[in-house]
């Protein structure tokens, strides 16, 4: 089984850049497990984090192709041991008074937060690495999850 690889891109912040990056993956038949985009530390630049799968030679090929795109300033393969990764998940749960205590236990165990509560539903927010998010989703699913929204992986190299 191929390991997941995380790529960090610094790109020009203007329309069409995201489409060119994703088109490169499509044309070459590369798979994207996750993609997130947001503002970066540089004015006029955005950070794109892509999680893909492939062996080292395939990922090297992806990086080389990305660097050929005019709007890509840098493309870096992030090493797992030297990287902090996080995802955010929002999970809408149907409220059932007989299950509220169990839900509260799960929320506490995963250091999640109830961010909204209504008469029939509550929204739980969880932040963590992909494994933690997968685990809390699996734990909550049997208790009436009606909606799930995940950000995809955010990643940053650790400091020196």
């Amino acid at each position: 089984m191929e390991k997941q690889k995380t790529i960090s891109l610094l790109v020009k912040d203007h329309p069409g850049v995201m489409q060119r990056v994703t088109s490169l993956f499509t044309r070459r038949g590369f798979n994207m497990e996750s993609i997130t985009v947001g503002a970066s530390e540089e004015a006029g630049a955005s950070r794109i984090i892509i999680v893909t799968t492939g062996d080292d030679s395939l990922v090297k090929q992806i990086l080389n192709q990305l660097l050929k795109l005019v709007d890509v300033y840098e493309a870096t393969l992030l090493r797992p041991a030297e990287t902090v990764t996080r995802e955010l998940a929002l999970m809408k749960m149907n409220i059932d008074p007989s299950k509220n205590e169990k839900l509260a236990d799960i929320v506490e165990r995963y250091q999640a937060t109830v961010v909204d509560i209504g008469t029939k539903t509550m929204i739980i927010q969880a932040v963590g690495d992909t494994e933690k998010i997968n685990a809390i989703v699996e734990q909550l699913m049997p208790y009436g999850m009606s909606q799930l929204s995940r950000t995809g992986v955010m990643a940053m190299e650790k400091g020196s």
Side-chain angles (χ1 to χ4, degrees), residues 10-30:
L10 187 63
V11 300
K12 191 178 286 185
D13 184 17
H14 68 81
V17 174
M18 175 79 146
Q19 188 272 331
R20 283 189 279 286
V21 169
T22 56
S23 289
L24 182 145
F25 275 76
T26 303
R27 284 191 317 270
R28 302 283 192 255
F30 302 144

Side-chain angles (χ1 to χ4, degrees), residues 123-141:
I123 298 176
I124 297 169
Q125 170 185 289
V127 177
D129 60 25
T130 301
E131 291 76 23
K132 177 182 176 179
I133 301 301
N134 288 343
I136 191 171
V137 167
E138 185 178 313
Q139 289 287 307
L140 289 173
M141 200 60 83

Side-chain angles (χ1 to χ4, degrees), residues 6-10 41 47-49 63 74-86 153-160:
T6 304
I7 297 170
S8 175
L9 302 175
L10 187 63
E41 67 283 1
R47 177 83 49 199
I48 300 176
I49 304 296
L63 289 169
E74 62 182 54
T76 308
L77 176 63
L78 301 177
R79 294 179 183 91
E82 299 169 9
T83 304
V84 174
T85 61
R86 293 291 181 268
V153 173
M154 303 277 295
M156 185 176 286
E157 286 181 310
K158 293 179 182 177
S160 53

Side-chain angles (χ1 to χ4, degrees), residues 25-26 28-34 50-53 58 62:
F25 275 76
T26 303
R28 302 283 192 255
F30 302 144
N31 188 38
M32 280 189 278
E33 301 288 325
S34 168
I50 300 170
V51 177
T52 188
T53 53
L58 178 65
I62 291 171

Side-chain angles (χ1 to χ4, degrees), residues 86-103:
R86 293 291 181 268
E87 272 192 71
L88 167 71
L90 295 175
M91 298 152 284
K92 185 180 284 187
M93 304 298 299
N94 298 318
I95 293 177
D96 178 347
S98 67
K99 297 177 183 174
N100 284 353
E101 189 175 321
K102 184 62 178 166
L103 284 176

